[in-house]
Amino acid sequence: MTTKNPPTKSATRTRNLQRSRQEILDAAFIEVFKNGFQGVSVDEIIKKTDLTKGAFYHQFPTKMDLGYALVEEVITPMILDRWILPLENFKNPLEGILVQLQKNIGEVEIDQLKLGCPLNNLVQEMAPVDKGFKKKLETALELWIDKIEWHLKRGKKAGYLSDDVSPRDAANFIVMAHEGFYGMVKGLSDPSLVKSLFKSIKIYFKSISN
Amino acid sequence: MTTKNPPTKSATRTRNLQRSRQEILDAAFIEVFKNGFQGVSVDEIIKKTDLTKGAFYHQFPTKMDLGYALVEEVITPMILDRWILPLENFKNPLEGILVQLQKNIGEVEIDQLKLGCPLNNLVQEMAPVDKGFKKKLETALELWIDKIEWHLKRGKKAGYLSDDVSPRDAANFIVMAHEGFYGMVKGLSDPSLVKSLFKSIKIYFKSISN
DNA sequence: ATCGTAAAATACCATTTAGTATGTTGTCAG
DNA sequence: CTGACAACATACTAAATGGTATTTTACGAT
C-alpha cells in the first residue's frame, strides 16, 4: 500500500508547496543578491521561475515576507555552512577562520565577490528601512557572532589564544572584518586588495594568539 | 555702479541655480541616507524642498545623475572633513584616527549611527547595480585610502609605526574597519558593541605601532 | 469515481515612478 | 524699458509596481 513512488512519468513534475517555495526562494536570492531587495520586483523574480504570481502570493503574503524568508531559510543556513560548520575540523579556530576566509573569499571568482556578502548587503540596505527585516537580520548576525565566540572559547581553553583576549570582543571584530572585507572588495577594483587585507587580518590574529 | 546688494526685500529670495542645486542635494542626501537610493523617489525629494520637479530636472538629467552628484559634491567633502582634515593636528596619525573614530562614532547619537556611513551605504547598494555609480564611489574610496596612507607614511617617518608595516596595507585595513564598524552598528542593537570593537581596533593599532 | 480543497494560473487594478512637454516668470544686457 | 533667455512651475504620460479577485487544476481522502 501507499506506494510513495509515482508510477512512471517524469517523476516530480506535480504540484508541491515546498518545492515551489524553494524555487521562488532560490530565484529571489540570486536577483536580490544582484540588485538589492528594493531593486528587484516580484514580477522579475517569478519570471526566473516556471511559476506565476499566484504561486508567489500563495507562499508569501507580501514581498517583505519573502525578504524575511530569504534571511531565515537561505542566508542563515548559508552562513553556517560557509563560516561555522567547517570550524569543527580545526583544533585552532583562528586557523580554521583563516582557511575559510581563503576558501570563501580568496578562491572565489571576482565577479561573484563583487556582489558582496548576502547578509551584509541586506543589513546595509534594509535594516534602517524595515523593522521586521532588522530583527531577522540581527538574529542571523548574532548567531554568527555567537558561534564564532563559542569556537574562540574552546580555542582559548586549548591554549591557542592569549589569556587576556575576550572571545566576545574578538568574535565581534572578526565578523566585522568579514563584512568590511566584502564591502571593500565591492567598492574597489584594486586586484591586490584581497591580499593586502589578508595580511592585516593575519597580523591581528597573531596579536591575539599564543 | 553694479550695486551687488539687492535694495531691500528679504535678501536672497530670488532665482539662483547654485542655491537650488544645493537645496536639492541636501534634501536628497538625507532621504537617501535614510532609505537608500533605490528606496527614495524624485517626488519625495522635491517634496522636502520648496522647489518642484522642473527645478530638479533642470539641474540633473536623470535620477542617476543626482546620485553621482551626491557622491562627488556631498559625500566626498564630508569624508575629507570628518576623517582626513583633522589628522593634520596630530603628529601621530594613529592617535588622530582613534580620536576621530571616537568623535564620529563614539559620541554620535545612536539613531544617527544606525543609518550607517553614507559612502558605505551607497557602495553596498549601488556599486554592483550601476557602473557610473561604481566609478564615482571607487574614486571617493580611493581618495580616502590614499589620504590615510599619506598620513601613515609621515607617521612612519616620524617613528610612530613599526618599520615592517606597509602604510598601504594599514590604510586599506583602517578604511575597512571604518566600514565594518558602521555595518555592525547598523545590524546589531548590542549597546556594548561600539566599545568592544574599539578595544579590538586599539589592539591592532598597538600591533603596528612602535 | 468523485468531491473538496489546496496549489497555482490569469486577468486585472490603483498607485507610484522616472521622465517630458509646455507654460510662466525673474533677471540682466543693451 | 524691453526683449531674450535662463530658472523654475505645472500638467501630463507611459511603464512598472505590489497586490487582489477570480478562476482553473491537480491530488488525496473517502
Side-chain angles (χ1 to χ4, degrees):
Chain A
M1 289 301 120
T2 64
T3 322
K4 283 298 165 79
N5 285 0
T8 42
K9 286 265 176 182
S10 62
T12 50
R13 268 286 161 232
T14 75
R15 294 188 167 181
N16 184 325
L17 190 64
Q18 289 185 44
R19 175 208 313 283
S20 295
R21 184 181 185 86
Q22 198 58 47
E23 194 177 345
I24 294 172
L25 284 173
D26 289 344
F29 173 78
I30 294 175
E31 293 306 304
V32 170
F33 194 30
K34 284 199 243 181
N35 302 99
F37 184 78
Q38 295 177 319
V40 89
S41 69
V42 174
D43 290 278
E44 280 179 51
I45 292 172
I46 60 166
K47 208 177 289 174
K48 305 280 175 179
T49 296
D50 52 2
L51 298 166
T52 62
K53 219 166 200 178
F56 183 97
Y57 280 100
H58 187 64
Q59 301 270 355
F60 307 103
T62 73
K63 190 193 172 192
M64 280 293 176
D65 289 287
L66 163 72
Y68 303 161
L70 275 179
V71 177
E72 291 184 319
E73 299 170 35
V74 180
I75 294 177
T76 298
M78 189 175 289
I79 289 173
L80 293 176
D81 199 55
R82 288 189 183 177
W83 300 111
I84 303 301
L85 295 182
L87 298 185
E88 312 270 359
N89 305 320
F90 294 86
K91 288 188 180 173
N92 182 351
L94 291 179
E95 188 198 334
I97 292 169
L98 277 178
V99 168
Q100 285 316 111
L101 272 171
Q102 183 60 37
K103 271 197 180 157
N104 293 325
I105 294 187
E107 295 174 10
V108 168
E109 305 105 53
I110 194 72
D111 291 342
Q112 191 77 358
L113 271 189
K114 292 260 172 227
L115 297 177
C117 163
L119 179 62
N120 193 35
N121 289 357
L122 282 180
V123 169
Q124 301 312 312
E125 184 188 1
M126 297 306 296
V129 172
D130 179 85
K131 290 196 175 179
F133 247 114
K134 190 190 156 42
K135 211 155 200 181
K136 308 282 182 187
L137 292 164
E138 182 160 12
T139 300
L141 252 180
E142 276 172 352
L143 176 67
W144 190 356
I145 298 172
D146 287 345
K147 296 286 187 184
I148 295 278
E149 182 188 13
W150 187 88
H151 280 283
L152 291 181
K153 271 183 179 162
R154 72 166 175 81
K156 192 173 178 182
K157 270 183 196 160
Y160 291 106
L161 276 76
S162 328
D163 288 337
D164 59 339
V165 65
S166 147
R168 188 65 183 182
D169 288 341
N172 281 332
F173 192 73
I174 286 169
V175 172
M176 186 203 82
H178 280 73
E179 299 203 353
F181 215 122
Y182 275 108
M184 294 288 281
V185 173
K186 209 165 167 182
L188 295 170
S189 301
D190 181 0
S192 68
L193 179 69
V194 171
K195 260 182 257 173
S196 168
L197 291 176
F198 245 92
K199 273 169 66 181
S200 297
I201 288 185
K202 280 180 190 164
I203 289 178
Y204 168 76
F205 274 23
K206 253 183 197 164
S207 80
I208 62 169
S209 289
N210 260 342
Chain B
M1 290 300 122
T2 65
T3 322
K4 283 297 164 81
N5 283 1
T8 43
K9 286 264 176 184
S10 62
T12 50
R13 267 288 162 230
T14 76
R15 296 189 165 183
N16 184 324
L17 190 64
Q18 289 187 43
R19 175 208 314 282
S20 296
R21 183 182 186 87
Q22 199 58 47
E23 193 177 345
I24 293 171
L25 283 174
D26 289 345
F29 173 79
I30 294 175
E31 293 305 303
V32 170
F33 194 30
K34 283 199 243 180
N35 301 99
F37 184 76
Q38 295 178 320
V40 90
S41 69
V42 174
D43 289 278
E44 280 179 51
I45 293 171
I46 61 167
K47 208 177 290 176
K48 306 281 175 175
T49 297
D50 53 2
L51 298 166
T52 62
K53 219 164 202 181
F56 183 96
Y57 281 99
H58 187 64
Q59 300 270 357
F60 308 103
T62 74
K63 190 193 172 192
M64 280 291 175
D65 289 287
L66 163 72
Y68 304 160
L70 275 179
V71 178
E72 290 184 319
E73 300 171 35
V74 180
I75 295 178
T76 298
M78 190 174 289
I79 289 173
L80 293 176
D81 200 54
R82 288 190 183 176
W83 300 111
I84 302 300
L85 294 182
L87 299 184
E88 312 270 359
N89 305 322
F90 294 87
K91 289 187 179 173
N92 181 352
L94 291 179
E95 187 198 335
I97 292 169
L98 277 180
V99 169
Q100 285 316 112
L101 273 171
Q102 182 61 37
K103 270 196 181 156
N104 294 325
I105 294 187
E107 295 174 10
V108 168
E109 305 106 53
I110 194 71
D111 292 341
Q112 190 77 359
L113 271 190
K114 291 261 171 227
L115 297 178
C117 163
L119 179 62
N120 192 34
N121 289 356
L122 283 179
V123 169
Q124 302 310 314
E125 182 188 3
M126 297 306 296
V129 172
D130 179 83
K131 292 197 175 180
F133 246 115
K134 190 190 156 39
K135 211 156 201 180
K136 307 283 182 189
L137 291 165
E138 182 160 11
T139 300
L141 254 181
E142 276 172 353
L143 176 66
W144 190 356
I145 298 172
D146 286 345
K147 296 287 187 184
I148 295 278
E149 182 188 11
W150 186 89
H151 280 283
L152 291 182
K153 269 183 180 164
R154 72 166 175 82
K156 192 175 177 181
K157 269 182 196 160
Y160 292 106
L161 275 75
S162 324
D163 287 337
D164 59 340
V165 65
S166 146
R168 188 64 183 183
D169 288 340
N172 281 331
F173 192 75
I174 286 169
V175 173
M176 186 203 80
H178 280 72
E179 300 204 353
F181 215 123
Y182 276 108
M184 295 286 281
V185 174
K186 210 167 168 182
L188 295 170
S189 300
D190 182 0
S192 68
L193 179 70
V194 171
K195 260 182 257 174
S196 169
L197 290 176
F198 246 93
K199 273 169 65 179
S200 297
I201 288 185
K202 279 181 189 164
I203 289 178
Y204 167 76
F205 274 24
K206 254 184 195 162
S207 79
I208 63 169
S209 289
N210 258 344

